[in-house]
Amino acid sequence: MSFQSLIHLSLDNPERAHCVVGTEVCLDLSGCAPQKCKSFTIRGSPGVLVNVHNTDPVIIGEEAAANRWSLSDPMDVLVKVTSPSTVIDEEKVLVSYYQPDEEVPMATAELYLTGVAVSLDVDIYRNGQVEMASDKQAKKNWVWGPKGWGAILLVNCSPTDMGQLIDRKTSKVFFSEEIKSLSQMTLNVQGPSCILKNHQLVLYTSEEESEKARVYRPQEDGSSTFELVLGPGRHTYNFAPLESHLKETFYVEALEFPSADFFGLISYSVSLVEESQDPSIPETLVHKDTVVFRVAPCIFTPSTQMPLEIYLCRELQVQGFVSTVMELSEKSNSQVASVYEDPSRLGRWLQDEMAFCYTQAPHKTISLVLDTPRVLKLEDFPMKYSLSPGVGYVIQCTKDHRVASMDSIGNLMVSPPVKVEGKEYPLGRILIGSSLYPSKEGRAMSKALRDFLYAQQVQAPVELFSDWLMTGHADEFMCFIPTHDKSEGKKGFRLLLASPSACYKLFQEKQKEGYGDMPLFEEVREDQLLSNGREANTINQLLADENMRKQNAYVEKCLNLNRDILKTELGLVEKDIIDVPQLFCLEQLTNVPSSQQTEKLYARPYFPNLLQMIVMGKNLGIPKPFGPQIKGTCCLEEKICQLLEPLGFKCTFINDFDCYLTEVGDFCACANIRRVPFPFKWWRMVP
């Protein structure tokens, strides 16, 4: 007696077979049918489901048993056991053969079945519960969308695991909170012990996929130490010989996010193998059950999401900035965490080289820092020691380590959720700074990092032209702010765009009002201006500076190109955009080694960049522009308030000139904000 997929019935002796629960077995009815018989009936015990396939629809169960079927019609008769048996031959199928016009069967074939359950189960329905799939074949696929299915894995983002060679260890100690981040996979084997003891169980994945995740098995003593059964260097696991029923829960974690070389899908299989009693006969595969996980993507949050926690770099000389941001954090009910300057980093790094994001499964959401350090060799990463409990830390290596490189995670932004020509982007779209065209001195994000962002699939990237900027980062000319006005076709946010023309228009208005002699930077010390290459020019002098006008005409062209891209790719119209007065000037790269210097000139904010604001809900921390004072009020500040306060925003201008124009970048590089994840679950979308 063995497992079979096709059973030939006999009238001489009852047939006996083993069946895997839920697996259909085909019956050969005609082979033993008496020649004079033209029809048959079939019925099974309560634990057997009978399906007769010769018509559409298929006749199932009691209806099938009540019918008399013609032997001359082509058909498939399938039976399956619905639950594991407790004893041998627990289930029974009877097939009775009839002569024409006879009510009493001429002969009856008997089939005894023993059900064995072999099931590998996961949270296939994404409700946080491991349960048996109603469709066994569905477990082999992973489907996007609100009606989709398939289990989800979280990447191990623990800062304590960074850099540790735990891949080759055979065990690991887990704390209770860490276990909650792991996805469960349950193996269930049931059936009579006399059958199970002759079979072997093997859990496995492919060699390639074993490098992407680890599977742990709890110890029998109930301790916090877990045995590593599958992972890098080990893609199969053989269980001890089965003595009786087996039900075990495994815990699975991913080791890396999807990338160009890793689509994000990992499958695990369990095989029931019948061991041969004859050494000359090989073992036989009886049954295989497979489940598929998708590794949860790395999801970035836009500035329109509410802040949870702000990280400040305190050891820089930016105390005015720090104190003001702390006040803003109190108003927005967010926490402040201190980050101390990393001596191994080059220049400003807190925002330029790292971004807060999150990853999510039905059972857990994890905030994390994605770090793209420019340092070639760094034995430790101090940032990870500053993180709040539960916040993860992951490193994504880059190739271009120059100070002014665009090959870092700081070279991206995220839009709020948008809808473009009927296509919804419920998690927004990633905006990447780029050169858009090849040039001798062009800078761009490396293919590896760009491919990583595209591989996450849920925030379809858009590439913007930002190589004209000294930092190369798009946040130098744009910013999103939340408005929460989604009624009447409004999108619930506004896009702020830098506008030299708006600035010139404002200054021309003030000149006509008789304030042409009012200078910029009136409150800034001369040594500060000198160190930053600025002069306290008046409105008249700025408007008369033809070279400055030419430079800003060039900037305006670059901005208009991006304006068109943003309107097309985000589905924006002009009423969604607010022009913010901002002037730029073209300079050579600063704060870079001579070997990294180029002949090309790059745009840099002429006065502190108003677009480099810190958005904390309705509270905005805006760089103080030190514009011309008109009746004791900075006309640039006044204009910003006129633009934003009617939308409900509270504008706070941060007075700390030293942190604005020094080095490469602006004061936002001294801070980074962890924000509330999107309410929308990524697996419910269709990329």
Side-chain angles (χ1 to χ4, degrees):
M1 185 167 59
S2 62
F3 290 87
Q4 301 173 39
S5 58
L6 174 63
I7 299 176
H8 301 279
L9 298 181
S10 172
L11 297 177
D12 299 327
N13 297 296
E15 289 294 321
R16 289 175 168 81
H18 303 159
C19 290
V20 174
V21 172
T23 301
E24 291 184 323
V25 176
C26 185
L27 303 185
D28 174 17
L29 304 182
S30 58
C32 68
Q35 288 186 351
K36 295 181 180 181
C37 292
K38 303 299 181 183
S39 62
F40 72 93
T41 60
I42 181 170
R43 60 187 184 276
S45 57
V48 178
L49 188 62
V50 178
N51 295 349
V52 179
H53 292 248
N54 80 324
T55 59
D56 191 14
V58 175
I59 307 301
I60 300 175
E62 294 181 2
E63 188 177 352
N67 282 290
R68 185 177 294 187
W69 305 93
S70 172
L71 284 167
S72 61
D73 294 337
M75 69 179 68
D76 288 328
V77 177
L78 306 175
V79 298
K80 63 180 176 181
V81 177
T82 59
S83 60
S85 302
T86 56
V87 296
I88 295 288
D89 299 341
E90 187 171 22
E91 305 298 344
K92 185 177 182 179
V93 175
L94 298 177
V95 178
S96 299
Y97 297 94
Y98 294 84
Q99 292 179 316
D101 302 323
E102 293 290 336
E103 295 299 322
V104 178
M106 180 179 179
T108 298
E110 295 180 317
L111 170 63
Y112 291 93
L113 298 173
T114 303
V116 174
V118 180
S119 183
L120 198 59
D121 298 301
V122 292
D123 179 16
I124 186 172
Y125 300 117
R126 304 169 190 162
N127 57 12
Q129 302 294 323
V130 175
E131 52 190 303
M132 187 174 293
S134 56
D135 181 357
K136 287 277 187 179
Q137 295 302 313
K139 294 194 294 184
K140 299 179 181 180
N141 301 301
W142 203 98
V143 179
W144 294 86
K147 296 182 179 180
W149 63 86
I152 295 168
L153 280 183
L154 292 175
V155 173
N156 178 2
C157 303
S158 173
T160 57
D161 287 346
M162 280 299 305
Q164 296 186 22
L165 297 176
I166 61 175
D167 293 352
R168 309 297 174 178
K169 289 186 177 181
T170 58
S171 64
K172 182 180 177 182
V173 175
F174 282 99
F175 297 104
S176 58
E177 195 61 31
E178 291 178 310
I179 295 176
K180 295 178 183 178
S181 300
L182 276 61
S183 298
Q184 295 185 16
M185 179 170 65
T186 300
L187 174 61
N188 187 26
V189 182
Q190 291 180 274
S193 299
C194 58
I195 296 177
L196 297 179
K197 68 180 183 179
N198 296 322
H199 293 79
Q200 174 77 34
L201 272 179
V202 183
L203 181 68
Y204 58 96
T205 185
S206 69
E207 289 189 52
E208 294 78 14
E209 291 175 4
S210 69
E211 300 293 323
K212 309 299 183 184
R214 301 189 193 100
V215 179
Y216 294 96
R217 181 186 192 187
Q219 303 280 36
E220 294 182 1
D221 59 7
S223 68
S224 57
T225 300
F226 285 56
E227 176 190 3
L228 177 64
V229 296
L230 297 178
R234 52 178 75 192
H235 68 282
T236 64
Y237 179 77
N238 293 299
F239 289 83
L242 293 170
E243 300 292 338
S244 59
H245 298 176
L246 174 68
K247 185 171 184 179
E248 287 206 34
T249 298
F250 298 88
Y251 294 84
V252 192
E253 65 179 5
L255 299 181
E256 61 182 78
F257 286 105
S259 63
D261 301 322
F262 172 44
F263 193 60
L265 294 177
I266 300 176
S267 63
Y268 292 100
S269 299
V270 64
S271 287
L272 185 67
V273 179
E274 183 179 4
E275 296 180 333
S276 173
Q277 304 303 310
D278 185 340
S280 64
I281 303 298
E283 61 191 17
T284 305
L285 175 63
V286 171
H287 180 70
K288 174 183 175 181
D289 201 20
T290 300
V291 295
V292 175
F293 287 96
R294 180 177 290 279
V295 177
C298 182
I299 304 171
F300 299 87
T301 51
S303 56
T304 51
Q305 292 297 106
M306 285 299 294
L308 286 172
E309 192 174 31
I310 182 164
Y311 286 74
L312 295 175
C313 194
R314 288 177 180 259
E315 289 194 0
L316 296 170
Q317 301 302 312
V318 290
Q319 290 310 307
F321 165 72
V322 169
S323 59
T324 306
V325 173
M326 290 183 70
E327 293 174 8
L328 290 175
S329 70
E330 292 179 4
K331 294 179 182 179
S332 61
N333 297 318
S334 55
Q335 297 180 337
V336 175
S338 297
V339 179
Y340 293 96
E341 180 61 271
D342 186 341
S344 302
R345 304 271 187 167
L346 299 174
R348 304 294 174 81
W349 53 274
L350 189 57
Q351 189 184 67
D352 285 351
E353 298 181 19
M354 55 183 61
F356 275 102
C357 42
Y358 71 94
T359 186
Q360 188 175 52
H363 61 277
K364 183 81 170 181
T365 299
I366 300 175
S367 293
L368 66 129
V369 166
L370 186 65
D371 193 357
T372 55
R374 294 191 180 108
V375 181
L376 288 170
K377 295 181 179 179
L378 192 58
E379 294 181 357
D380 206 354
F381 296 83
M383 174 63 184
K384 70 183 184 183
Y385 300 112
S386 302
L387 297 174
S388 297
V391 178
Y393 184 81
V394 173
I395 294 174
Q396 180 70 27
C397 294
T398 59
K399 294 183 178 180
D400 187 350
H401 302 97
R402 293 176 295 176
V403 174
S405 165
M406 292 165 63
D407 191 18
S408 70
I409 208 68
N411 184 26
L412 68 78
M413 298 180 67
V414 185
S415 80
V418 292
K419 184 176 182 179
V420 185
E421 296 183 351
K423 171 67 175 176
E424 292 191 2
Y425 299 91
L427 301 176
R429 302 189 71 176
I430 290 173
L431 307 173
I432 303 172
S434 174
S435 61
L436 288 189
Y437 70 98
S439 64
K440 179 182 177 182
E441 297 173 338
R443 299 167 299 167
M445 184 178 286
S446 69
K447 185 177 185 299
L449 185 53
R450 186 190 293 109
D451 287 349
F452 170 83
L453 297 174
Y454 277 91
Q456 306 313 304
Q457 297 194 69
V458 295
Q459 294 177 300
V462 175
E463 297 198 30
L464 300 174
F465 179 44
S466 65
D467 191 30
W468 54 277
L469 286 158
M470 187 169 290
T471 63
H473 294 178
D475 62 2
E476 290 258 310
F477 66 83
M478 60 181 290
C479 177
F480 294 100
I481 55 174
T483 56
H484 309 297
D485 57 351
K486 291 191 175 182
S487 60
E488 301 176 1
K490 297 180 180 178
K491 295 180 173 59
F493 67 88
R494 295 290 189 277
L495 168 63
L496 307 185
L497 271 183
S499 174
S501 60
C503 191
Y504 276 117
K505 180 181 178 181
L506 175 64
F507 286 171
Q508 287 167 347
E509 291 174 356
K510 298 307 175 185
Q511 185 185 52
K512 290 179 181 179
E513 294 172 7
Y515 299 107
D517 292 330
M518 301 306 296
L520 278 74
F521 308 128
E522 189 174 359
E523 302 170 77
V524 182
R525 299 192 315 269
E526 287 188 16
D527 62 305
Q528 290 177 305
L529 290 176
L530 183 63
S531 64
N532 288 287
R534 297 292 181 265
E535 296 179 1
N537 290 325
T538 65
I539 291 177
N540 287 336
Q541 289 173 319
L542 277 176
L543 292 177
D545 189 337
E546 290 300 323
N547 188 47
M548 174 73 84
R549 282 186 175 273
K550 288 180 182 179
Q551 292 178 5
N552 278 278
Y554 160 74
V555 168
E556 197 82 46
K557 291 179 182 178
C558 298
L559 289 167
N560 287 337
L561 172 61
N562 286 304
R563 191 187 199 96
D564 291 341
I565 294 173
L566 289 165
K567 289 170 69 174
T568 300
E569 298 296 339
L570 301 184
L572 304 181
V573 294
E574 281 299 323
K575 67 179 181 179
D576 301 320
I577 302 172
I578 297 175
D579 289 317
V580 174
Q582 181 68 50
L583 290 183
F584 294 82
C585 57
L586 299 184
E587 300 177 357
Q588 283 193 315
L589 289 174
T590 59
N591 192 37
V592 298
S594 58
S595 61
Q596 297 181 20
Q597 191 58 262
T598 67
E599 296 180 1
K600 181 179 178 180
L601 299 180
Y602 295 92
R604 190 178 180 195
Y606 181 73
F607 51 78
N609 193 343
L610 294 166
L611 279 300
Q612 286 264 287
M613 63 181 67
I614 292 181
V615 182
M616 305 184 77
K618 289 294 185 179
N619 296 296
L620 306 178
I622 307 173
K624 185 176 180 63
F626 300 98
Q629 297 285 318
I630 311 297
K631 296 181 181 180
T633 301
C634 171
C635 65
L636 288 169
E637 292 184 23
E638 183 180 48
K639 183 63 176 179
I640 290 295
C641 291
Q642 291 173 356
L643 292 171
L644 301 183
E645 287 183 351
L647 296 174
F649 291 97
K650 173 64 176 176
C651 300
T652 299
F653 294 92
I654 303 176
N655 184 357
D656 201 333
F657 185 82
D658 281 336
C659 72
Y660 293 138
L661 299 175
T662 54
E663 301 180 351
V664 175
D666 235 313
F667 78 88
C668 276
C670 307
N672 212 326
I673 300 176
R674 181 167 69 92
R675 299 183 180 275
V676 174
F678 288 104
F680 184 88
K681 308 303 181 187
W682 63 267
W683 53 85
R684 296 181 61 84
M685 71 177 291
V686 179

